[in-house]
Amino acid sequence: MTVSIDVPAAAADVLSKPIGHLIGGRTIDAADDHFPTTNPCNGEVLAQVASGTEADVDRAVAAARAALDGPWARMTPSARGKVLWRLADLIEARTEEFAHLEAVDTGKPVTYARLVDLPLTVDWFRYMAGWPTKLVGSTVPISAVATPGDYFAYTKREPVGVVGAIIAWNFPLMLAAWKLSPALAAGNTVILKPAEQTPLTAALLGEVIREAGVPDGVVNIVHGYGETVGAALAAHPGVDKISFTGSTEVGRHIVRASAGNLKKVTLELGGKSANIVFDDADIEAAAAGAANAVFFNQGEACTAGSRLFVQSGVYDRVVEGVARFAEQIKVGDSLDPASQMGPVVSDQQFSTVMGYLESGRQQGATVAYGGSRIGDAGYFIQPTVLTDTAPGMRVVDEEIFGPVITVQRFDDVDEVVRAANASCYGLAGGVWTSNVARAHAVADQLRAGTVWVNSYNVFDPALPFGGYKQSGWGREHGAAVFDAYTETKTVVVPTA
């Protein structure tokens, strides 16, 4: 495949110079230590990025603490909301620049970045812009026998403080919005640590944040590796909360590192989501939905419906439909408007996915479609459908994070619910049926944070999102997210 870089001028400007940190409102380059970010379509270097150190984290925490106690604390809730709305407007106005940077850095098709990642990013900031004026407390009557006298008691919501936000590489801009928008709405300050594989949109976001009028130090961005910047943030005594999106393995490291000052931690981790098709489903819609559930974003989504369960009566039709859908996907250059799927993000991820495919073959899985590399440049993998799969196979039990779906047959409801729940993960799931009572009953039994019925990957900033079991702690989005970004204070005053 031939790949060219043709991006809007402002995006080209981001690529034209080393990418530095944003600390205290200033762009700070590394003295001498940089790392490359590469184009997964061809492996070529896109830009050099400042490699953060523990000292950079110290400076960012100091800047965030000063801003927390300074102008940000004095800004009214309404004013904070206006800043968030202005930030949304500026991101929307620069959709093309953000979309092109996201595409060349992650490998996702620019069309999808333009139609999915950017609108959702804007939606999140606009939704959260309405919350600063609504984080209210309540009055509480006191009537305990052991508390004689008259008292006036009330609660209030206050910001947690300095937040460390560590994000993954699959949806870099959108995940930044998921962290920043509620944290800022609640009055916190933030140190954002982008994934080292995909730092480009964070660099442009830093420019937009300043343009939107966010006070210096309220949002700081420190680039670097997880074992340096991420670990330093998680362990830092000046950080009050960590919000992390990434793998379950790294989530465990975050928890251990955060234990020193017992900082608050929320984790959005891995998944191996079950997508269940019953024999009374709309088979054409279910097959297309199951394919989209796993092949969207190259399969690099924590919610990917990577375990497909199909009732025996329609098994062959669904497998055929999913394989046909996979065959028709146009895999290509992320900047080609016709591309529907790009490469996986990196050489490391390419090797991981190809290793799983080899493991599947060795353990007895049948490749119904795909299973191979595309071309000899970049990290392109065919969308792959594996049948004859069973629990115990690595492709069934472990998160692949690539365009690979495993298909298993079932006969009755109890059987498939047991199989769906037989996972250490519990992030999401899907149910395809025309029986409304069955849809509700199965959704009720699935141990997953989100269950979609006759649909998949429907997101909205008002919907709580998070996982059961090893898929994480806490919830993102909606009203629920503010439990993670605020402290509740109780005040009691005698009235006589």
Side-chain angles (χ1 to χ4, degrees):
M1 293 185 180
T2 58
V3 180
S4 60
I5 298 294
D6 182 15
V7 298
D13 183 61
V14 172
L15 300 174
S16 68
K17 54 185 181 294
I19 292 172
H21 313 302
L22 174 64
I23 299 176
R26 295 172 51 238
T27 300
I28 298 174
D29 193 16
D32 55 11
D33 193 8
H34 293 80
F35 64 90
T37 185
T38 58
N39 183 345
C41 289
N42 56 16
E44 294 179 359
V45 173
L46 293 165
Q48 295 292 331
V49 185
S51 187
T53 65
E54 191 172 334
D56 293 317
V57 173
D58 287 340
R59 284 190 285 270
V61 172
R65 182 65 59 186
L68 182 71
D69 298 331
W72 194 235
R74 295 190 292 272
M75 190 175 287
T76 66
S78 178
R80 281 204 312 275
K82 289 177 181 177
V83 168
L84 290 173
W85 194 276
R86 188 157 57 247
L87 183 53
D89 287 344
L90 292 171
I91 293 171
E92 187 174 51
R94 302 179 75 167
T95 288
E96 286 305 305
E97 298 147 48
F98 276 109
H100 280 77
L101 288 176
E102 200 79 322
V104 297
D105 214 13
T106 66
K108 70 180 64 189
V110 67
T111 302
Y112 291 0
R114 183 187 294 125
L115 296 178
V116 178
D117 298 56
L118 266 298
L120 286 177
T121 296
V122 171
D123 280 349
W124 250 263
F125 278 110
R126 285 189 176 143
Y127 173 83
M128 292 298 173
W131 270 102
T133 56
K134 299 168 185 66
L135 294 173
V136 298
S138 60
T139 58
V140 183
I142 293 179
S143 57
V145 174
T147 310
D150 295 322
Y151 297 90
F152 173 65
Y154 62 93
T155 64
K156 56 182 299 194
R157 303 287 286 271
E158 296 181 346
V160 168
V162 175
V163 174
I166 304 172
I167 59 174
W169 43 258
N170 53 337
F171 294 95
L173 182 63
M174 194 163 68
L175 289 175
W178 283 18
K179 307 297 185 189
L180 289 174
S181 58
L184 299 180
N188 300 283
T189 56
V190 183
I191 300 105
L192 176 69
K193 191 270 181 203
E196 57 267 29
Q197 298 90 341
T198 53
L200 294 182
T201 47
L204 185 56
L205 182 61
E207 295 180 17
V208 172
I209 283 169
R210 284 177 287 184
E211 186 180 349
V214 178
D216 293 348
V218 170
V219 176
N220 305 275
I221 301 172
V222 182
H223 297 280
Y225 294 101
E227 56 266 31
T228 51
V229 174
L233 267 178
H236 203 291
V239 173
D240 302 296
K241 173 187 167 52
I242 290 288
S243 180
F244 172 74
T245 295
S247 72
T248 297
E249 179 185 2
V250 175
R252 292 189 180 95
H253 291 301
I254 295 287
V255 171
R256 287 191 288 267
S258 299
N261 66 339
L262 293 178
K263 57 174 60 67
K264 292 180 178 293
V265 177
T266 51
L267 305 169
E268 198 270 284
L269 306 176
K272 192 71 178 177
S273 299
N275 206 2
I276 303 169
V277 179
F278 287 95
D279 56 13
D280 64 347
D282 179 330
I283 300 306
E284 185 176 345
N292 271 315
V294 73
F295 299 136
F296 171 68
N297 207 60
Q298 301 76 243
E300 296 169 324
C302 52
T303 57
S306 52
R307 290 187 299 149
L308 178 61
F309 295 90
V310 184
Q311 200 158 24
S312 295
V314 295
Y315 180 88
D316 291 339
R317 291 172 60 197
V318 172
V319 170
E320 180 185 355
V322 174
R324 185 170 61 250
F325 189 100
E327 185 178 9
Q328 293 170 352
I329 293 173
K330 177 174 172 48
V331 182
D333 176 1
S334 62
L335 294 185
D336 182 348
S339 293
Q340 297 170 308
M341 196 174 95
V344 295
V345 74
S346 66
D347 178 60
Q348 179 181 359
Q349 190 62 19
F350 175 84
S351 297
T352 296
V353 176
M354 296 304 291
Y356 274 112
L357 292 177
E358 180 58 28
S359 169
R361 291 186 181 95
Q362 291 178 357
Q363 292 187 304
T366 299
V367 179
Y369 180 80
S372 300
R373 178 177 192 163
I374 300 176
D376 55 7
Y379 314 126
F380 297 91
I381 300 173
Q382 288 180 304
T384 300
V385 182
L386 299 179
T387 59
D388 299 318
T389 59
M393 293 182 177
R394 291 183 61 219
V395 291
V396 172
D397 295 346
E398 300 176 18
E399 184 176 40
I400 298 174
F401 227 63
V404 182
I405 188 169
T406 65
V407 192
Q408 299 174 67
R409 187 189 304 264
F410 75 92
D411 291 311
D412 61 58
V413 173
D414 291 341
E415 173 193 359
V416 75
V417 168
R418 283 194 303 271
N421 287 336
S423 171
C424 65
Y425 298 110
L427 188 59
V431 180
W432 298 81
T433 179
S434 60
N435 185 321
V436 175
R438 173 190 282 163
H440 285 293
V442 174
D444 188 58
Q445 293 176 75
L446 291 179
R447 298 281 295 162
T450 298
V451 178
W452 291 287
V453 175
N454 295 330
S455 58
Y456 208 90
N457 278 338
V458 177
F459 290 97
D460 189 275
L463 295 174
F465 177 75
Y468 287 31
K469 297 184 279 186
Q470 293 183 37
S471 285
W473 291 353
R475 292 294 180 268
E476 311 252 25
H477 321 325
V481 73
F482 291 103
D483 291 337
Y485 287 105
T486 60
E487 298 277 18
T488 298
K489 178 179 286 184
T490 300
V491 180
V492 180
V493 182
T495 57

